[in-house]
Amino acid sequence: MEISTFYMSPSTPFLKPQKPLNQIFFTCKLNAPFQHFAFHRPTNCSIHKTCTTSISSPSFSSFNRNTYRFALLKVRAVTGNAEESEGSKPRELAQTLQLGAMFGTWYLLNIYYNIYNKQVLKIFPFPATVTAFQFGCGTMLILFMWGFRLHPKPKISKSQFKAIFLLAAVHTLGNLLTNISLGRVAVSFTHTIKAMEPFFTVLLSSLFLAERPSLWTVSSLIPIVGGVALASMTEASFNWIGFGSAMASNLTNQSRNVFSKKFMVKEEEALDNINLFSIITIISFILLVPVAILMEGIKFTPSYLQFAASQGLNVRELCVRLLLAGFCLHTYQQVSYMILQMISPVTHAVGNCVKRVVVIVSSVIFFQTPVSPINSLGTALALAGVFLYSRAKRLQPKPKVA
């Protein structure tokens, strides 16, 4: 059997033969893993007599020549795709590890934020002032980042500012309502109530977007509502203001998540996630400072700080916890926005459900919150319903675009 070989290398022109063209024949195969072509001339084979027609022969038609070239190009493309797929595996692993690290950071910062924030609100019961201070901490971090050129400053158009301003207003209200609830009831109870977010998502989508939820989605809301009701009836720290504030924060937070996701996918108006959240934080700080003064007055005075210190923490410890809570709030929400841009809203909702479990368990252990068996059952039932809701949304077919 006669063999003529082509080698695919940068130093060799494409389709350069190692033998004259009149000895190269149309029958070919790829000898992987050496990535070269071998063209065989069958012997004692009457069926393949047509394969012995050389390329240089006059009888070798232009059609066969084009087919021959196409076959070579196709094999080369397949080889290149195989190399690309092998190279993409390390990148996929790196992205998975990065996402896992971001989820772990998100959960850890949530735990510390809820602990420090509850300690502050327990002895300094001014949620609007505390929330404004936390936004102020985030603003200082952002100005530091831009001032030292750790991240480029954004350029904002009028249309962008309108969209971001609405998002910032909703973001401000959601954080304020959450802090009002955390100041009134236990951390674990606030996060149990906030498990009702899927219920409000389905309700608002049905009312304003005319979206019909599937049977599985509606069924998953039953354990959520039942679990929150069961936990509320047996909660030792139950307070109507805390309960209502947490419920209202569900509305604002779900609106913020949906709106921010829609804004981030508009390529013509897109900002990177760091600058988007940075502008939201600065606007929230500017909006909330006058509101906090109107609602509570100026509370960062020596007399109020000394009064708070008499409740269990000295002034230095109070200020340190205020700063740490502000740092953790800004950082964990920034990480949450970064995760939301990398994954789908449904996957983000699953991660948020796991985050609530982690925060509830850690707060119960740290604050030694008394939890009855029925209260534990209600919390577990609500969180299980949130998980089932996320699974139902994943299975729900996407609406067809006309």
Side-chain angles (χ1 to χ4, degrees):
M1 179 181 294
E2 298 179 3
I3 299 179
S4 180
T5 306
F6 282 96
Y7 293 91
M8 307 287 291
S9 67
S11 61
T12 306
F14 182 53
L15 300 183
K16 180 181 177 180
Q18 303 298 315
K19 288 188 178 183
L21 284 174
N22 58 4
Q23 295 182 12
I24 301 172
F25 300 92
F26 187 69
T27 305
C28 66
K29 71 175 183 177
L30 176 65
N31 288 338
F34 301 102
Q35 299 182 11
H36 65 270
F37 299 101
F39 297 89
H40 303 265
R41 178 179 179 178
T43 56
N44 301 326
C45 179
S46 59
I47 300 177
H48 294 85
K49 284 181 180 179
T50 56
C51 298
T52 61
T53 305
S54 67
I55 294 177
S56 59
S57 172
S59 62
F60 194 86
S61 66
S62 62
F63 173 78
N64 287 339
R65 236 182 246 111
N66 292 333
T67 306
Y68 162 76
R69 290 169 183 167
F70 174 75
L72 292 178
L73 291 172
K74 189 175 180 181
V75 173
R76 189 182 190 186
V78 170
T79 306
N81 291 337
E83 291 175 352
E84 289 177 4
S85 63
E86 289 177 0
S88 65
K89 290 180 181 178
R91 288 195 298 270
E92 291 176 359
L93 179 60
Q95 289 176 356
T96 303
L97 292 175
Q98 179 189 3
L99 194 59
M102 291 175 69
F103 268 98
T105 304
W106 184 26
Y107 295 167
L108 190 63
L109 290 170
N110 259 276
I111 293 172
Y112 280 110
Y113 166 71
N114 281 277
I115 290 174
Y116 292 139
N117 200 34
K118 181 63 178 179
Q119 288 177 332
V120 169
L121 290 169
K122 201 171 182 180
I123 63 174
F124 192 72
F126 305 109
T129 302
V130 171
T131 308
F133 181 83
Q134 291 169 353
F135 284 140
C137 291
T139 301
M140 294 301 294
L141 291 172
I142 293 162
L143 295 178
F144 176 84
M145 174 185 70
W146 287 342
F148 284 88
R149 297 181 181 180
L150 301 177
H151 194 80
K153 294 180 183 179
K155 294 181 180 179
I156 310 170
S157 64
K158 290 183 179 180
S159 61
Q160 284 178 321
F161 182 79
K162 289 179 181 178
I164 297 175
F165 185 85
L166 177 60
L167 182 58
V170 175
H171 177 78
T172 304
L173 185 59
N175 279 270
L176 176 59
L177 290 169
T178 300
N179 273 346
I180 292 174
S181 179
L182 286 171
R184 296 280 182 161
V185 297
V187 174
S188 57
F189 185 52
T190 297
H191 282 276
T192 301
I193 299 171
K194 287 173 74 66
M196 284 278 290
E197 285 179 350
F199 173 82
F200 289 98
T201 301
V202 173
L203 179 64
L204 293 175
S205 298
S206 301
L207 291 176
F208 298 103
L209 302 179
E211 292 183 359
R212 292 186 178 181
S214 65
L215 178 61
W216 290 108
T217 301
V218 175
S219 300
S220 68
L221 299 179
I222 297 174
I224 295 176
V225 176
V228 171
L230 193 62
S232 301
M233 288 188 297
T234 57
E235 174 60 37
S237 65
F238 182 84
N239 178 283
W240 278 109
I241 296 177
F243 177 82
S245 300
M247 281 291 186
S249 71
N250 288 333
L251 287 169
T252 57
N253 287 336
Q254 284 306 296
S255 301
R256 179 199 65 188
N257 287 341
V258 172
F259 188 73
S260 63
K261 187 66 179 180
K262 287 183 178 180
F263 178 75
M264 285 189 289
V265 299
K266 291 182 179 179
E267 295 182 358
E268 69 278 4
E269 297 185 347
L271 287 174
D272 66 90
N273 46 48
I274 294 178
N275 280 331
L276 175 62
F277 182 71
S278 298
I279 297 169
I280 290 172
T281 301
I282 294 173
I283 296 175
S284 297
F285 174 63
I286 296 172
L287 288 174
L288 191 56
V289 168
V291 173
I293 295 174
L294 289 173
M295 287 177 61
E296 301 170 347
I298 300 175
K299 299 303 181 183
F300 280 114
T301 60
S303 59
Y304 278 105
L305 292 175
Q306 287 294 339
F307 173 77
S310 65
Q311 305 297 313
L313 294 175
N314 59 45
V315 176
R316 180 177 175 276
E317 290 174 337
L318 175 62
C319 293
V320 168
R321 280 166 173 75
L322 272 168
L323 288 170
L324 289 174
F327 172 80
C328 290
L329 174 67
H330 176 77
T331 311
Y332 99 69
Q333 289 187 335
Q334 175 66 77
V335 173
S336 177
Y337 269 76
M338 293 171 67
I339 293 174
L340 183 60
Q341 195 173 17
M342 295 172 64
I343 60 178
S344 68
V346 175
T347 307
H348 189 274
V350 176
N352 201 43
C353 175
V354 177
K355 181 207 72 177
R356 295 211 187 284
V357 175
V358 173
V359 171
I360 288 172
V361 172
S362 61
S363 65
V364 167
I365 295 173
F366 184 85
F367 293 108
Q368 297 182 350
T369 307
V371 180
S372 65
I374 298 178
N375 186 276
S376 301
L377 177 62
T379 302
L381 194 62
L383 294 174
V386 174
F387 177 77
L388 292 175
Y389 169 81
S390 62
R391 296 297 300 172
K393 292 293 289 182
R394 187 182 294 272
L395 296 174
Q396 184 174 343
K398 295 181 181 180
K400 295 182 179 180
V401 180

